[in-house]
Amino acid sequence: MTTARTATPSTARAINDRLALDLLLERGPLTASDLRALTGLSRPTVADLLERLQRSGLVAHAGESAALRRGPNARLYGLVADRAHLAGIDIRANGVSLVVADLTGRTLGTATIAASTPAPAVDAPGGPADGDQLVERTVEALLATAAEAGAGELHTVAVGAPGLVDPATGALNNSGKLPEWHTKLLAALRARPGTEVILENEVNLAGIAEHRIGAAQGRRDFALIWLGHGVGASVVLDGRLRRGASGGTGEIGFLPVPGTIGLPDSKKCDNGFHSTVSSAAVCELAARHGLKVDIGAGAGAGAGVGSTGRTRAGGVAKDQEPAAEAVVRRAVETGADDFLDELALRIAVGASAICVVLDPGCVVLGGEIGQAGGSELAGRVERHLTRLSPLATEVRAGTAGGGAVLAGAVLTAGDAARRELFGGD
């Protein structure tokens, strides 16, 4: 037989403090009266916690409420946003994008660091030297952006990278297909004292963003399919991101599907789902339907945040990603039904495999191609999926867009920082 434990005074204080801090984070500055009404705590308890949180440097006066008369009851209290600073980093094959934010997640500065040469392989001539320079330039840009934002140091940095991230160790499994500088950059960031560095697969970060601020808000179960240069998935079940035993949940680029000339193998996904819906495949499909595919169109403008995807196929021109995004958007605008319907069927084939195994109830089409297709492409995928799967599944267009990786990184860094500073889970 077990008996219920009564919370100790210190535990009760910690719970109340965290409750108040979460409300201030969610709603912005509040009066003591607001906090009493929202928490149900007594006047003395709220007064004590506000005094305690002010001493800790987490809460400060933030003006007065216009709805109340001047005086103690009108005084607003808010989080001290610069109590800690965060950063999100998106590592791509051809460079790095980063954002510096305050404790509330508000963006303070951004930077993009392009690789001087196309993503060198580990053993390519000049590759390691170019990679070392990129690592150095990235760290310098991060520190400069933080300094311009008034951050003396960064409390937590969350990094999104392609590849498998071991859930137990946090190590990046670089199989040799990714540039060596990816691993070197992580080592350089982790070598900086006083900063916690969190590594996560970039599609998982995009899934976090869609779950918290995007198309999957309010859902406890959904799967994000990332459609860009590469193809991947992020799975949330019972409100939790699922990574798998080795961090490989969502490696759907390797999924065997009809319509390819062979089968994928453990080292490359060229004959898997990747080969049917990646940016290169979308450009090929568009050309076959007589749609103009301008490889140069949108290059640079379209290759924005989060543009890598989970897997890469050798030999695919990186410029095809913005071209694929542009041609899908143009197809929606001009009503290119045959092209959109065949693309939707290809996506639905991969989505059906996820649905009949996991039954997420909702699939979000993310990445640049998913965003470009919008509700038009999502609706077509849902109609095909209804025919392929016996399980009712809603298909939505992602709303976090190409910036979903960085958005998810900032959310992840903020969660970690607040757990340490606020206490609790």
Side-chain angles (χ1 to χ4, degrees), residues 128 140 242 255 294 382:
E140 289 175 352
R242 304 296 174 160
L255 184 70
D294 184 356
E382 183 173 319

Side-chain angles (χ1 to χ4, degrees), residues 38-399:
L38 291 168
T39 63
L41 298 173
S42 67
R43 182 185 298 268
T45 300
V46 169
D48 287 345
L49 74 82
L50 284 173
E51 182 180 351
R52 195 162 52 245
L53 293 175
Q54 288 178 87
R55 287 199 306 268
S56 71
L58 287 170
V59 169
H61 296 307
E64 292 189 345
S65 171
L68 298 172
R69 294 181 179 179
R70 296 178 61 85
N73 288 335
R75 186 171 293 171
L76 288 167
Y77 298 88
L79 284 180
V80 178
D82 61 0
R83 176 67 171 76
H85 290 89
L86 323 165
I89 299 180
D90 178 14
I91 302 179
R92 295 169 283 166
N94 59 340
V96 179
S97 294
L98 61 88
V99 59
V100 173
D102 63 23
L103 185 59
T104 68
R106 181 173 63 94
T107 296
L108 301 177
T110 63
T112 300
I113 306 91
S116 56
T117 57
V122 175
D123 298 325
D130 290 340
D132 289 344
Q133 292 175 8
L134 184 54
V135 169
E136 184 177 343
R137 287 192 289 124
T138 298
V139 174
E140 289 175 352
L142 176 63
L143 297 179
T145 304
E148 291 174 5
E153 62 182 33
L154 293 169
H155 184 284
T156 307
V157 177
V159 181
L164 302 185
V165 178
D166 190 308
T169 66
L172 177 65
N173 179 4
N174 190 335
S175 62
K177 297 178 182 178
L178 302 174
E180 188 179 28
W181 63 264
H182 285 197
T183 304
K184 289 184 175 181
L185 177 56
L186 289 167
L189 293 171
R190 285 170 168 163
R192 298 198 58 78
T195 299
E196 179 184 3
V197 177
I198 301 170
L199 175 64
E200 182 61 86
N201 174 271
E202 91 274 40
V203 180
N204 282 345
L205 290 179
I208 289 171
E210 292 290 0
H211 191 212
R212 298 269 292 275
I213 61 174
Q217 288 184 78
R219 290 205 61 94
R220 290 186 57 78
D221 305 291
F222 84 100
L224 166 72
I225 296 181
W226 183 270
L227 301 166
H229 177 67
V231 180
S234 176
V235 176
V236 171
L237 298 176
D238 295 326
R240 294 176 51 200
L241 178 69
R242 304 296 174 160
R243 297 179 176 84
S246 62
T249 296
E251 286 292 335
I252 59 172
F254 289 88
L255 184 70
V257 294
T260 62
I261 59 174
L263 291 173
D265 60 41
S266 61
K267 299 187 182 301
K268 62 181 184 299
C269 57
D270 290 354
N271 289 317
F273 186 48
H274 172 96
S275 294
T276 66
V277 294
S278 66
S279 57
V282 170
C283 288
E284 292 168 2
L285 179 64
R288 184 158 59 79
H289 279 273
L291 301 179
K292 182 180 178 182
V293 179
D294 184 356
I295 296 298
V305 173
S307 61
T308 54
R310 186 182 281 258
T311 53
R312 300 177 62 230
V316 175
K318 65 182 180 182
D319 285 347
Q320 285 181 302
E321 183 166 42
E325 177 186 358
V327 78
V328 170
R329 182 171 287 109
R330 192 158 56 242
V332 171
E333 293 170 351
T334 59
D337 290 335
D338 291 344
F339 163 75
L340 289 171
D341 207 51
E342 185 169 349
L343 176 59
L345 176 58
R346 291 183 177 191
I347 297 169
V349 168
S352 67
I354 297 174
C355 294
V356 296
V357 174
L358 300 177
D359 189 18
C362 176
V363 169
V364 175
L365 304 184
E368 285 76 11
I369 294 171
Q371 185 181 31
S375 59
E376 176 65 29
L377 180 61
R380 291 170 184 262
V381 172
E382 183 173 319
R383 287 192 290 274
H384 284 298
L385 192 55
T386 299
R387 182 169 53 85
L388 294 172
S389 167
L391 307 177
T393 306
E394 181 183 3
V395 180
R396 302 176 180 177
T399 57

